[in-house]
mmCIF file of all heavy atoms in Angstrom:
data_model
loop_
_atom_site.group_PDB
_atom_site.id
_atom_site.type_symbol
_atom_site.label_atom_id
_atom_site.label_comp_id
_atom_site.label_asym_id
_atom_site.label_seq_id
_atom_site.Cartn_x
_atom_site.Cartn_y
_atom_site.Cartn_z
ATOM 1 N N ASP A 387 29.195 65.437 16.128
ATOM 2 C CA ASP A 387 27.874 65.740 15.491
ATOM 3 C C ASP A 387 27.758 64.781 14.297
ATOM 4 O O ASP A 387 28.610 64.728 13.417
ATOM 5 C CB ASP A 387 27.871 67.156 14.904
ATOM 6 C CG ASP A 387 27.777 68.214 16.053
ATOM 7 O OD1 ASP A 387 27.195 67.797 17.133
ATOM 8 O OD2 ASP A 387 28.259 69.275 15.890
ATOM 9 N N PRO A 388 26.671 63.978 14.214
ATOM 10 C CA PRO A 388 26.390 63.228 13.020
ATOM 11 C C PRO A 388 26.119 64.082 11.814
ATOM 12 O O PRO A 388 25.292 64.919 11.801
ATOM 13 C CB PRO A 388 25.101 62.441 13.398
ATOM 14 C CG PRO A 388 24.989 62.547 14.879
ATOM 15 C CD PRO A 388 25.600 63.784 15.323
ATOM 16 N N PRO A 389 26.975 64.003 10.771
ATOM 17 C CA PRO A 389 26.860 64.862 9.606
ATOM 18 C C PRO A 389 25.802 64.318 8.601
ATOM 19 O O PRO A 389 26.128 64.173 7.398
ATOM 20 C CB PRO A 389 28.268 64.904 9.024
ATOM 21 C CG PRO A 389 28.777 63.515 9.411
ATOM 22 C CD PRO A 389 28.118 63.142 10.687
ATOM 23 N N LEU A 390 24.541 64.146 8.978
ATOM 24 C CA LEU A 390 23.526 63.482 8.188
ATOM 25 C C LEU A 390 24.237 62.195 7.733
ATOM 26 O O LEU A 390 25.004 61.579 8.440
ATOM 27 C CB LEU A 390 23.120 64.345 6.989
ATOM 28 C CG LEU A 390 22.569 65.742 7.442
ATOM 29 C CD1 LEU A 390 22.052 66.473 6.142
ATOM 30 C CD2 LEU A 390 21.371 65.577 8.361
ATOM 31 N N ASN A 391 23.850 61.680 6.541
ATOM 32 C CA ASN A 391 24.577 60.466 6.070
ATOM 33 C C ASN A 391 25.323 60.879 4.776
ATOM 34 O O ASN A 391 25.516 60.061 3.859
ATOM 35 C CB ASN A 391 23.580 59.374 5.809
ATOM 36 C CG ASN A 391 22.600 59.596 4.640
ATOM 37 O OD1 ASN A 391 22.250 60.832 4.509
ATOM 38 N ND2 ASN A 391 22.172 58.612 3.968
ATOM 39 N N LEU A 392 25.823 62.085 4.802
ATOM 40 C CA LEU A 392 26.547 62.585 3.616
ATOM 41 C C LEU A 392 27.994 62.095 3.559
ATOM 42 O O LEU A 392 28.495 61.799 2.484
ATOM 43 C CB LEU A 392 26.573 64.077 3.702
ATOM 44 C CG LEU A 392 25.248 64.855 3.598
ATOM 45 C CD1 LEU A 392 25.453 66.372 3.766
ATOM 46 C CD2 LEU A 392 24.546 64.562 2.312
ATOM 47 N N VAL A 393 28.606 61.813 4.699
ATOM 48 C CA VAL A 393 30.018 61.482 4.672
ATOM 49 C C VAL A 393 30.204 59.939 4.346
ATOM 50 O O VAL A 393 31.028 59.627 3.473
ATOM 51 C CB VAL A 393 30.692 61.772 5.984
ATOM 52 C CG1 VAL A 393 32.130 61.332 6.007
ATOM 53 C CG2 VAL A 393 30.641 63.346 6.290
ATOM 54 N N GLY A 394 29.578 59.103 4.994
ATOM 55 C CA GLY A 394 29.658 57.654 4.896
ATOM 56 C C GLY A 394 28.876 57.161 3.672
ATOM 57 O O GLY A 394 29.419 56.670 2.682
ATOM 58 N N ASP A 395 27.570 57.230 3.758
ATOM 59 C CA ASP A 395 26.707 56.627 2.631
ATOM 60 C C ASP A 395 27.054 57.299 1.315
ATOM 61 O O ASP A 395 27.217 56.548 0.341
ATOM 62 C CB ASP A 395 25.265 56.886 2.988
ATOM 63 C CG ASP A 395 24.660 55.821 3.877
ATOM 64 O OD1 ASP A 395 25.398 54.998 4.307
ATOM 65 O OD2 ASP A 395 23.479 55.975 4.223
ATOM 66 N N TYR A 396 27.082 58.602 1.257
ATOM 67 C CA TYR A 396 27.168 59.221 -0.026
ATOM 68 C C TYR A 396 28.585 59.640 -0.454
ATOM 69 O O TYR A 396 28.902 59.430 -1.633
ATOM 70 C CB TYR A 396 26.226 60.443 -0.008
ATOM 71 C CG TYR A 396 24.741 60.007 0.126
ATOM 72 C CD1 TYR A 396 23.759 60.911 0.606
ATOM 73 C CD2 TYR A 396 24.305 58.762 -0.299
ATOM 74 C CE1 TYR A 396 22.464 60.475 0.713
ATOM 75 C CE2 TYR A 396 23.022 58.376 -0.207
ATOM 76 C CZ TYR A 396 22.075 59.305 0.265
ATOM 77 O OH TYR A 396 20.753 58.871 0.334
ATOM 78 N N GLY A 397 29.361 60.239 0.443
ATOM 79 C CA GLY A 397 30.706 60.596 0.108
ATOM 80 C C GLY A 397 31.613 59.344 -0.082
ATOM 81 O O GLY A 397 32.165 59.121 -1.131
ATOM 82 N N GLY A 398 31.766 58.628 1.070
ATOM 83 C CA GLY A 398 32.635 57.414 0.975
ATOM 84 C C GLY A 398 32.081 56.234 0.330
ATOM 85 O O GLY A 398 32.703 55.306 -0.015
ATOM 86 N N GLY A 399 30.712 56.237 0.120
ATOM 87 C CA GLY A 399 30.026 55.159 -0.448
ATOM 88 C C GLY A 399 29.618 55.354 -1.912
ATOM 89 O O GLY A 399 30.258 54.877 -2.835
ATOM 90 N N ALA A 400 28.511 56.138 -2.136
ATOM 91 C CA ALA A 400 28.028 56.322 -3.516
ATOM 92 C C ALA A 400 29.034 56.841 -4.499
ATOM 93 O O ALA A 400 29.159 56.360 -5.580
ATOM 94 C CB ALA A 400 26.826 57.214 -3.424
ATOM 95 N N LEU A 401 29.782 57.828 -4.081
ATOM 96 C CA LEU A 401 30.730 58.541 -5.020
ATOM 97 C C LEU A 401 31.852 57.623 -5.290
ATOM 98 O O LEU A 401 32.428 57.537 -6.446
ATOM 99 C CB LEU A 401 31.159 59.812 -4.456
ATOM 100 C CG LEU A 401 30.098 60.890 -4.328
ATOM 101 C CD1 LEU A 401 30.610 62.186 -3.855
ATOM 102 C CD2 LEU A 401 29.309 61.104 -5.620
ATOM 103 N N TYR A 402 32.378 56.901 -4.260
ATOM 104 C CA TYR A 402 33.489 55.951 -4.546
ATOM 105 C C TYR A 402 33.076 54.745 -5.361
ATOM 106 O O TYR A 402 33.794 54.220 -6.184
ATOM 107 C CB TYR A 402 34.136 55.452 -3.249
ATOM 108 C CG TYR A 402 35.237 56.427 -2.740
ATOM 109 C CD1 TYR A 402 34.824 57.641 -2.101
ATOM 110 C CD2 TYR A 402 36.528 56.175 -2.931
ATOM 111 C CE1 TYR A 402 35.810 58.495 -1.662
ATOM 112 C CE2 TYR A 402 37.556 57.056 -2.469
ATOM 113 C CZ TYR A 402 37.166 58.203 -1.892
ATOM 114 O OH TYR A 402 38.144 59.142 -1.463
ATOM 115 N N LEU A 403 31.781 54.299 -5.172
ATOM 116 C CA LEU A 403 31.325 53.226 -5.990
ATOM 117 C C LEU A 403 31.211 53.707 -7.487
ATOM 118 O O LEU A 403 31.586 52.965 -8.434
ATOM 119 C CB LEU A 403 29.919 52.820 -5.535
ATOM 120 C CG LEU A 403 29.216 51.706 -6.360
ATOM 121 C CD1 LEU A 403 29.999 50.380 -6.448
ATOM 122 C CD2 LEU A 403 27.816 51.430 -5.872
ATOM 123 N N ALA A 404 30.686 54.928 -7.681
ATOM 124 C CA ALA A 404 30.590 55.412 -9.068
ATOM 125 C C ALA A 404 31.970 55.506 -9.675
ATOM 126 O O ALA A 404 32.192 55.127 -10.863
ATOM 127 C CB ALA A 404 29.889 56.774 -9.089
ATOM 128 N N PHE A 405 32.869 56.017 -8.955
ATOM 129 C CA PHE A 405 34.296 56.181 -9.432
ATOM 130 C C PHE A 405 34.892 54.804 -9.757
ATOM 131 O O PHE A 405 35.412 54.650 -10.850
ATOM 132 C CB PHE A 405 35.091 56.903 -8.411
ATOM 133 C CG PHE A 405 36.588 56.987 -8.673
ATOM 134 C CD1 PHE A 405 37.055 57.649 -9.683
ATOM 135 C CD2 PHE A 405 37.486 56.363 -7.815
ATOM 136 C CE1 PHE A 405 38.489 57.701 -9.975
ATOM 137 C CE2 PHE A 405 38.872 56.381 -8.012
ATOM 138 C CZ PHE A 405 39.297 57.104 -9.163
ATOM 139 N N GLY A 406 34.641 53.876 -8.902
ATOM 140 C CA GLY A 406 35.184 52.514 -9.102
ATOM 141 C C GLY A 406 34.482 51.835 -10.335
ATOM 142 O O GLY A 406 35.244 51.120 -11.102
ATOM 143 N N LEU A 407 33.211 52.005 -10.465
ATOM 144 C CA LEU A 407 32.567 51.325 -11.554
ATOM 145 C C LEU A 407 33.025 51.919 -12.874
ATOM 146 O O LEU A 407 33.296 51.150 -13.880
ATOM 147 C CB LEU A 407 31.062 51.551 -11.438
ATOM 148 C CG LEU A 407 30.354 50.836 -10.292
ATOM 149 C CD1 LEU A 407 28.896 51.264 -10.144
ATOM 150 C CD2 LEU A 407 30.511 49.307 -10.395
ATOM 151 N N LEU A 408 33.124 53.200 -13.014
ATOM 152 C CA LEU A 408 33.591 53.798 -14.286
ATOM 153 C C LEU A 408 35.071 53.423 -14.561
ATOM 154 O O LEU A 408 35.402 53.195 -15.727
ATOM 155 C CB LEU A 408 33.316 55.300 -14.235
ATOM 156 C CG LEU A 408 31.958 55.796 -14.233
ATOM 157 C CD1 LEU A 408 31.803 57.257 -14.055
ATOM 158 C CD2 LEU A 408 31.199 55.285 -15.413
ATOM 159 N N ALA A 409 35.839 53.367 -13.532
ATOM 160 C CA ALA A 409 37.213 52.927 -13.773
ATOM 161 C C ALA A 409 37.289 51.431 -14.197
ATOM 162 O O ALA A 409 38.065 51.040 -15.136
ATOM 163 C CB ALA A 409 38.075 53.051 -12.439
ATOM 164 N N GLY A 410 36.350 50.632 -13.638
ATOM 165 C CA GLY A 410 36.278 49.266 -14.033
ATOM 166 C C GLY A 410 35.778 49.079 -15.488
ATOM 167 O O GLY A 410 36.336 48.169 -16.207
ATOM 168 N N VAL A 411 34.885 49.884 -15.874
ATOM 169 C CA VAL A 411 34.409 49.810 -17.324
ATOM 170 C C VAL A 411 35.492 50.272 -18.242
ATOM 171 O O VAL A 411 35.682 49.669 -19.299
ATOM 172 C CB VAL A 411 33.097 50.710 -17.446
ATOM 173 C CG1 VAL A 411 32.798 50.892 -18.930
ATOM 174 C CG2 VAL A 411 31.948 50.149 -16.630
ATOM 175 N N PHE A 412 36.198 51.280 -17.894
ATOM 176 C CA PHE A 412 37.367 51.796 -18.749
ATOM 177 C C PHE A 412 38.308 50.651 -18.843
ATOM 178 O O PHE A 412 38.799 50.413 -19.990
ATOM 179 C CB PHE A 412 37.986 53.001 -18.034
ATOM 180 C CG PHE A 412 39.175 53.513 -18.796
ATOM 181 C CD1 PHE A 412 39.026 54.334 -19.950
ATOM 182 C CD2 PHE A 412 40.504 53.304 -18.303
ATOM 183 C CE1 PHE A 412 40.109 54.796 -20.593
ATOM 184 C CE2 PHE A 412 41.584 53.794 -18.959
ATOM 185 C CZ PHE A 412 41.383 54.557 -20.130
ATOM 186 N N GLU A 413 38.700 49.982 -17.764
ATOM 187 C CA GLU A 413 39.616 48.901 -17.880
ATOM 188 C C GLU A 413 39.140 47.687 -18.721
ATOM 189 O O GLU A 413 39.778 47.094 -19.524
ATOM 190 C CB GLU A 413 40.086 48.401 -16.496
ATOM 191 C CG GLU A 413 41.316 47.564 -16.430
ATOM 192 C CD GLU A 413 41.032 46.089 -16.800
ATOM 193 O OE1 GLU A 413 39.902 45.655 -16.663
ATOM 194 O OE2 GLU A 413 42.062 45.409 -17.261
ATOM 195 N N ALA A 414 37.831 47.293 -18.549
ATOM 196 C CA ALA A 414 37.233 46.285 -19.265
ATOM 197 C C ALA A 414 37.182 46.505 -20.755
ATOM 198 O O ALA A 414 37.271 45.525 -21.504
ATOM 199 C CB ALA A 414 35.810 46.002 -18.734
ATOM 200 N N GLN A 415 37.073 47.740 -21.174
ATOM 201 C CA GLN A 415 37.082 48.046 -22.568
ATOM 202 C C GLN A 415 38.449 47.726 -23.257
ATOM 203 O O GLN A 415 38.492 47.394 -24.384
ATOM 204 C CB GLN A 415 36.833 49.556 -22.810
ATOM 205 C CG GLN A 415 35.361 49.918 -22.494
ATOM 206 C CD GLN A 415 35.158 51.442 -22.570
ATOM 207 O OE1 GLN A 415 36.097 52.242 -22.509
ATOM 208 N NE2 GLN A 415 33.872 51.826 -22.650
ATOM 209 N N ARG A 416 39.537 47.708 -22.360
ATOM 210 C CA ARG A 416 40.863 47.304 -22.936
ATOM 211 C C ARG A 416 41.114 45.859 -22.753
ATOM 212 O O ARG A 416 41.721 45.197 -23.633
ATOM 213 C CB ARG A 416 41.956 48.152 -22.202
ATOM 214 C CG ARG A 416 41.883 49.634 -22.567
ATOM 215 C CD ARG A 416 42.915 50.455 -21.791
ATOM 216 N NE ARG A 416 42.519 50.513 -20.402
ATOM 217 C CZ ARG A 416 43.341 50.520 -19.377
ATOM 218 N NH1 ARG A 416 44.662 50.422 -19.649
ATOM 219 N NH2 ARG A 416 42.934 50.572 -18.120
ATOM 220 N N SER A 417 40.812 45.242 -21.620
ATOM 221 C CA SER A 417 41.144 43.874 -21.326
ATOM 222 C C SER A 417 40.103 42.933 -21.848
ATOM 223 O O SER A 417 40.403 41.733 -21.957
ATOM 224 C CB SER A 417 41.287 43.715 -19.790
ATOM 225 O OG SER A 417 40.081 43.886 -19.164
ATOM 226 N N GLY A 418 38.855 43.371 -21.970
ATOM 227 C CA GLY A 418 37.760 42.447 -22.238
ATOM 228 C C GLY A 418 37.306 41.603 -21.075
ATOM 229 O O GLY A 418 36.449 40.729 -21.279
ATOM 230 N N LYS A 419 37.756 41.969 -19.923
ATOM 231 C CA LYS A 419 37.334 41.200 -18.726
ATOM 232 C C LYS A 419 36.806 42.169 -17.645
ATOM 233 O O LYS A 419 37.386 43.241 -17.390
ATOM 234 C CB LYS A 419 38.505 40.397 -18.148
ATOM 235 C CG LYS A 419 39.023 39.297 -19.076
ATOM 236 C CD LYS A 419 40.040 38.486 -18.419
ATOM 237 C CE LYS A 419 40.582 37.335 -19.322
ATOM 238 N NZ LYS A 419 39.389 36.388 -19.637
#
């Protein structure tokens, strides 16, 4: 059954992107890069 686009687009996509971006910003605050 296709689970709408909740699993790929939004679960594995949007939420992982948000998590990655905030982790990247946190690291950039320390490294400057």
Side-chain angles (χ1 to χ4, degrees):
D387 291 329
L390 303 182
N391 64 330
L392 298 175
V393 177
D395 277 0
Y396 293 155
L401 296 183
Y402 273 79
L403 176 59
F405 173 64
L407 292 173
L408 293 177
V411 169
F412 178 76
E413 195 280 334
Q415 290 173 342
R416 290 176 292 147
S417 69
K419 294 184 180 296

